[in-house]
């Protein structure tokens, strides 16, 4: 069960550099157990419901919108936006809030960023709860552009429809040109088509709201532009870097929660991570897709949060 809706006890905007400012908030116990929530995408941003994952009597939950996402500004901004920037932003926020170490909770792209952050600053991470694993490797990006459409062919047809046949040999490049076009009449329809495609694929049970939200102008502007930007740049990591870096975090208590029917981030990736990291708890949720809000996924994540709370 989710905890009741809750308002932050503190929030603010943190100026990161001359261009980006980041929205952050804290919920629960000011002296509680520090926890960091990392949203997906990249570019998704946090929603208030994310706050309800964390026991407000125990956790000091810190949530923030990654640069270019959600309430951070400027939304959809690709300049000075890379994995290294986001890792540095997390450290900046940790220092600003006076937190020594924290439990890091991330799904999908949030799992990618959680692994990158933990491998860069293992001494700052007291635990990891990861969901819907995305390692940012070439095969996963190819899957996003072509594999997902095998399960949602009608959505994939809608996704490719705006792209002329002659450009369909490289869908990522074709979309990237349109997503980064300065004319809103060009980039906004491309953003919405990309967001809707992804949103339509996140749930095992039909979830029109997810497609609607991800395809909305507000979310899609940052989600589509940032995802395409990170995909074109191979998430700014060498191929295989996060698996190669496991030696730095093997000792950190960790849980991996994965949906069997996750069409966005298929379980093959989660299994590669789990087999390379046998110390981590691995839980495959049979009747679930990608979204953290799927019943089986949510239940498993809440159980892992209780496990860390009661440890
Ligand atoms: C590779 N990006 C996958 C990701 O982080 C993600 N999956 N679903 C989402 C939305 C909920 C924003 C559609 O984000």
């Amino acid at each position: 069960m989710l905890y009741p809706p809750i308002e932050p006890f503190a929030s603010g905007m943190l100026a990161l550099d001359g261009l980006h400012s980041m929205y952050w908030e804290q919920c629960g116990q000011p002296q509680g157990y520090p926890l960091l929530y990392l949203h997906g995408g990249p570019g998704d941003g946090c929603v208030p419901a994310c706050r309800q994952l964390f026991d407000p009597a125990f956790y000091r939950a810190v949530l923030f919108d990654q640069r270019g996402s959600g309430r951070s500004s400027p939304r959809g901004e690709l300049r000075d936006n890379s994995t290294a920037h986001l890792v540095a932003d997390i450290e900046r926020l940790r220092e600003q809030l006076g937190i020594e170490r924290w439990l890091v909770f991330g799904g999908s792209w949030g799992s990618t960023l959680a692994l990158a952050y933990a491998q860069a600053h293992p001494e700052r991470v007291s635990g990891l709860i990861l969901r819907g694993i995305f390692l940012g490797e070439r095969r996963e990006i190819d899957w996003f552009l072509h594999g997902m459409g095998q399960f949602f062919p009608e959505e994939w047809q809608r996704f490719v429809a705006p792209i002329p046949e002659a450009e369909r040999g490289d869908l990522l490049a074709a979309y990237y040109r349109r997503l980064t076009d300065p004319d809103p009449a060009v980039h906004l329809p491309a953003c919405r088509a990309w967001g809707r495609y992804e949103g339509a694929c996140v749930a095992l049970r039909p979830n029109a709201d997810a497609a609607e939200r991800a395809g909305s102008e507000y979310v899609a502007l940052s989600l589509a532009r940032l995802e395409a930007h990170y995909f074109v740049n191979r998430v700014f990591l060498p191929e295989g870097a996060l698996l190669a870096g496991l030696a730095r975090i093997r000792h950190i208590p960790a849980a991996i929660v994965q949906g069997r029917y996750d069409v966005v981030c298929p379980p093959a990736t989660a299994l590669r991570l789990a087999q390379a990291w046998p110390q981590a708890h691995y839980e495959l949720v049979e009747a679930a897709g990608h979204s953290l809000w799927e019943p089986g996924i949510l239940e498993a994540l809440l159980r892992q949060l209780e496990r860390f709370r009661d440890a």
Side-chain angles (χ1 to χ4, degrees), residues 17-277:
D17 51 33
L19 178 59
H20 290 275
S21 294
M22 168 227 268
Y23 171 81
W24 57 268
E25 63 184 30
Q26 297 189 80
C27 302
Q29 289 303 311
Q31 306 305 322
Y33 189 102
L35 175 145
L36 175 69
Y37 175 86
L38 297 178
H39 66 67
D44 183 16
C46 297
V47 293
C50 299
R51 304 169 188 159
Q52 296 178 242
L53 293 161
F54 312 115
D55 181 352
F58 178 78
Y59 283 110
R60 175 186 177 187
V62 178
L63 301 89
F64 75 99
D65 291 337
Q66 296 158 28
R67 57 173 63 202
S69 309
R71 291 151 293 190
S72 292
S73 171
R75 202 147 44 80
E77 178 59 63
L78 304 182
R79 288 173 293 173
D80 294 340
N81 205 326
S82 70
T83 305
H85 283 102
L86 296 180
V87 168
D89 293 346
I90 295 171
E91 273 298 276
R92 183 81 181 279
L93 181 60
R94 184 189 59 74
E95 287 163 2
Q96 163 107 359
L97 299 182
I99 290 172
E100 282 299 312
R101 301 169 78 223
W102 41 13
L103 169 60
V104 179
F105 180 106
S108 201
W109 161 255
S111 70
T112 323
L113 184 55
L115 288 166
Y117 172 72
Q119 290 180 15
H121 301 283
E123 72 287 356
R124 299 299 179 189
V125 179
S126 56
L128 286 159
I129 299 179
L130 309 175
R131 182 270 312 171
I133 302 303
F134 180 68
L135 297 176
E137 296 182 2
R138 181 183 301 272
R139 70 182 90 179
E140 298 168 84
I141 294 168
D142 292 344
W143 171 266
F144 183 94
L145 291 157
H146 299 283
M148 289 196 323
Q150 296 300 301
F151 290 88
F152 294 88
E154 67 283 10
E155 290 297 340
W156 189 81
Q157 288 174 358
R158 258 180 95 157
F159 175 61
V160 300
I163 307 298
E165 281 285 347
E167 294 183 58
R168 292 184 185 179
D170 187 346
L171 275 179
L172 181 55
Y175 256 96
Y176 191 67
R177 279 192 294 278
R178 289 158 175 82
L179 294 169
T180 55
D181 189 292
D183 181 355
V186 174
H187 69 241
L188 284 179
C191 286
R192 300 197 64 177
W194 178 292
R196 178 186 166 81
Y197 170 54
E198 180 170 17
C201 300
V202 296
L204 176 63
R205 297 165 181 77
N207 181 341
D209 290 351
E212 199 59 40
R213 175 179 177 278
S216 68
E217 191 171 309
Y218 178 79
V219 172
L221 177 67
S222 51
L223 178 71
R225 283 166 58 86
L226 267 69
E227 283 191 343
H229 173 65
Y230 275 71
F231 291 176
V232 161
N233 290 285
R234 298 282 179 266
V235 303
F236 300 95
L237 294 172
E239 185 77 358
L242 295 179
L243 286 179
L246 284 176
R248 288 197 287 280
I249 61 171
R250 210 173 280 292
H251 62 290
I252 297 175
I256 301 165
V257 174
Q258 176 69 35
R260 162 74 73 191
Y261 297 99
D262 182 336
V263 171
V264 180
C265 299
T269 304
L271 186 63
R272 285 199 296 129
L273 178 65
Q275 288 176 334
W277 192 5

